[in-house]
Amino acid sequence: MDVTVVGAGPVGLVLAAELALSGASVQVIERLAEPSGAMKAGSINVPTAEALDRRGLLPAAEKVQREVLGRAGPVAREAGDRRGATVPRFTGHFAGMVLDADLVDWADADLAAHAGVEGARVVPQRELEELLADHVERLGVPVCREVEVTALQDTGDTVLVGTTAGAVRTGWLVGCDGGRSTVRRLAGIDFSGTDPELTGHLAIADIADPEKLASGWTWSDRGAYRYGPQPGRIVTVEFDRAPADRSAPVTLHEVQTSLRRVSGTDVTLTALRGPATRWSDNARQAAAYRSGRVLLAGDSAHVHSPFGGQGLNLGVGDAMNLGWKLGAVVGGWAPEGLLDTYDAERRPVGAWVLDWTRAQIAVLRGDARSAALREVVGDLLSTRDGTTYAVKKIAGVTQRVDLPGDHPLVGRHVPDLRLADGSRPADHAHDGGFLLLDRTPDGTFTRAATAWAGRVRSVPDGHGTPSGLLVRPDGVVAWACDTADDTAVTGLETALRLWAGRPSPAPEREPVG
């Protein structure tokens, strides 16, 4: 195989799919016999939903949200999705303080530019994994389960991987195998950060006496807990201890003991509905996302507390960024140095997420200083500007990559534009290639990109502003211009050489799916 991906969670599956779309041969190996049923992320942010949209998976994600909300009931103020259907507004929370949808400025330019995926935000991790598993199966990617990595050797031109199923020789190896990554450890990549100081639990339980629990977040001198919003959902946080053993199964007794300790009640849990999750505020980032032919993505590259639901989305962003770049190197149309931009572009986002979650833990603590800080932050989040700021950060609509160019769209995820024929940019991106939106009346930009037609799909759109957009496979705008003069053409050609590699005048690829 050109690439072997270790880990069949959402990050590994997204990465494998992107590599397959690029034409690389790829396989996924996973130590677990089947996907974990433990509760994890309950939603996705805008960049993740837009990534699904660009690959033709938005209808499936919208179906998941309808089913989830049908079981849970309304969760926020309603809005319209891309088809005009009524959907709930998704806001999220900061340190347990739920953000009021009625305070958000939904007309804010950043939010309004990415409203097309509002109907696909409430997609829990388990359902997302199922959706992605179907996606990689359609692309013909083999997923080999009950296989563990035991050794690796980077020979300079390949990677020799020892596994419990025998030796594997692969061109590149990518660790998407979680916070306790075997690939990261065997590659000798340092994983520094801040040590855990708390233990958290997340579970759905049958409760004999739920009236003993308060709804929402409740604080005490022993910690904090949340009951709801759906019946039986419990989150506990204990600030005086770190997990003794993160790998041990979470028992009913453990969850009940934690809940009784932080709530100060003798509440009784009679059963767990599915595996519960134990977590901490351990916050670390890999010293390098790449070592030779070994790369890291997702929790293998960064870990943090789950507050704010950023971990899953951060990992999917890694996979989208790395997938097309590694595929370009494997395909031979881009130099290996392109992979250096993966670390450069994703590390700052990872560092921000670590600090975003650290800030929430600081506000969440039960001591007097944190309680005072919580009051101040709560006041800020009760304002229109404060709530809108937090919602934009959680939604991911302010993310930007530092790229050459002074147009305000460069480095941002492409906005959800409505084109003259009624389509959107995402509708033309299912094949995983570059997208060139040409709004010049005579096709000026399309002609300039002719030499790259093998990997750049040009979409004419009559008149409008911006006059041209070059969108990378990960949805990031690589070039944009409001004119169509010689300077604009030169800028486009420069961006094409930088990101789309050597010219390839082969016919454009047909969309996949």
Side-chain angles (χ1 to χ4, degrees):
M1 293 288 176
D2 293 322
V3 184
T4 296
V5 176
V6 182
V11 177
L13 294 176
V14 169
L15 177 61
E18 292 301 292
L19 287 164
L21 285 172
S22 75
S25 61
V26 56
Q27 65 179 348
V28 180
I29 59 177
E30 166 61 53
R31 67 179 181 83
L32 297 179
E34 57 187 24
S36 169
M39 287 192 65
K40 295 182 180 178
S43 62
I44 58 178
N45 70 1
V46 168
T48 297
E50 289 182 336
L52 299 177
D53 189 10
R54 287 193 301 276
R55 300 303 179 255
L57 302 174
L58 185 61
E62 290 176 332
K63 180 173 184 262
V64 169
Q65 173 163 307
R66 290 194 298 271
E67 292 173 348
V68 171
L69 294 181
R71 296 193 299 266
V75 295
R77 202 178 85 183
E78 294 181 335
D81 70 2
R82 65 191 176 96
R83 301 165 303 171
T86 299
V87 298
R89 290 283 197 191
F90 184 87
T91 56
H93 71 89
F94 184 88
M97 290 176 277
V98 177
L99 302 169
D100 187 347
D102 289 326
L103 287 175
V104 179
D105 179 9
W106 295 108
D108 178 272
D110 291 323
L111 291 171
H114 298 276
V117 294
E118 200 64 35
R121 296 286 306 284
V122 187
V123 180
Q125 182 165 333
R126 182 161 49 190
E127 285 80 355
L128 179 62
E129 286 189 30
E130 293 173 357
L131 185 157
L132 293 171
D134 291 341
H135 181 46
V136 299
E137 183 178 6
R138 288 192 296 270
L139 292 172
V141 176
V143 178
C144 310
R145 290 191 170 273
E146 296 186 274
V147 178
E148 293 190 51
V149 173
T150 58
L152 68 84
Q153 179 187 1
D154 184 345
T155 66
D157 56 358
T158 60
V159 183
L160 301 178
V161 187
T163 80
T164 52
V168 173
R169 182 185 296 272
T170 187
W172 299 84
L173 181 71
V174 186
C176 302
D177 52 337
R180 294 184 288 275
S181 170
T182 299
V183 172
R184 185 187 65 238
R185 176 176 57 81
L186 292 174
I189 298 175
D190 186 51
F191 201 46
S192 60
T194 52
D195 293 331
E197 297 180 359
L198 64 82
T199 296
H201 294 90
L202 173 61
I204 299 287
D206 292 328
I207 307 174
D209 40 11
E211 68 278 0
K212 294 182 178 180
L213 300 175
S215 297
W217 279 96
T218 304
W219 282 263
S220 72
D221 57 359
R222 302 178 186 86
Y225 77 93
R226 184 186 186 187
Y227 176 50
Q230 65 263 45
R233 185 178 185 273
I234 297 166
V235 181
T236 68
V237 183
E238 299 177 74
F239 292 108
D240 59 348
R241 66 194 68 208
D245 183 1
R246 286 286 307 277
S247 61
V250 182
T251 65
L252 175 66
H253 175 73
E254 180 181 345
V255 177
Q256 177 173 275
T257 299
S258 178
L259 182 58
R260 286 181 172 182
R261 184 181 296 123
V262 298
S263 68
T265 72
D266 60 353
V267 63
T268 299
L269 309 185
T270 58
L272 294 179
R273 285 186 250 148
T277 303
R278 183 192 301 109
W279 52 273
S280 78
D281 60 334
N282 183 35
R284 300 180 183 279
Q285 189 172 29
Y289 286 16
R290 177 192 175 196
S291 175
R293 287 182 168 264
V294 179
L295 298 111
L296 305 175
D299 288 352
S300 302
H302 37 69
V303 294
H304 50 82
S305 79
F307 272 91
Q310 297 291 330
L312 167 63
N313 300 298
L314 181 59
V316 171
D318 291 345
M320 292 300 297
N321 188 289
L322 175 60
W324 73 270
K325 293 175 179 177
L326 184 53
V329 172
V330 168
W333 57 264
E336 193 173 313
L338 179 64
L339 293 177
D340 294 336
T341 67
Y342 167 58
D343 188 298
E345 292 180 3
R346 294 304 298 172
R347 176 173 297 280
V349 184
W352 173 82
V353 168
L354 263 65
D355 283 344
W356 182 258
T357 58
R358 287 183 179 119
Q360 292 183 77
I361 295 300
V363 172
L364 189 68
R365 292 180 183 280
D367 61 89
R369 292 181 179 85
S370 294
L373 178 60
R374 192 160 56 246
E375 289 291 329
V376 174
V377 174
D379 283 345
L380 291 172
L381 294 179
S382 67
T383 67
R384 188 173 182 81
D385 287 346
T387 301
T388 302
Y389 167 84
V391 168
K392 287 168 61 173
K393 289 293 188 180
I394 293 170
V397 296
T398 61
Q399 290 182 14
R400 186 169 188 172
V401 178
D402 186 14
L403 299 184
D406 55 9
H407 193 281
L409 287 178
V410 171
R412 293 188 179 275
H413 287 92
V414 60
D416 188 48
L417 303 171
R418 182 65 62 177
L419 307 185
D421 62 0
S423 67
R424 301 171 303 123
D427 298 327
H428 303 275
H430 295 182
D431 65 352
F434 287 81
L435 178 68
L436 175 63
L437 179 63
D438 185 353
R439 286 174 157 171
T440 62
D442 58 352
T444 297
F445 297 138
T446 298
R447 289 196 304 276
T450 299
W452 288 269
R455 61 186 69 103
V456 178
R457 180 178 297 277
S458 182
V459 179
D461 189 44
H463 302 278
T465 302
S467 58
L469 280 177
L470 177 65
V471 184
R472 302 189 322 191
D474 56 359
V476 172
V477 177
W479 166 88
C481 195
D482 294 332
T483 64
D485 53 20
D486 291 344
T487 300
V489 171
T490 300
L492 171 60
E493 292 174 342
T494 299
L496 286 167
R497 291 189 180 93
L498 177 63
W499 298 112
R502 291 187 288 270
S504 174
E508 293 185 0
R509 293 176 291 176
E510 291 300 316
V512 175

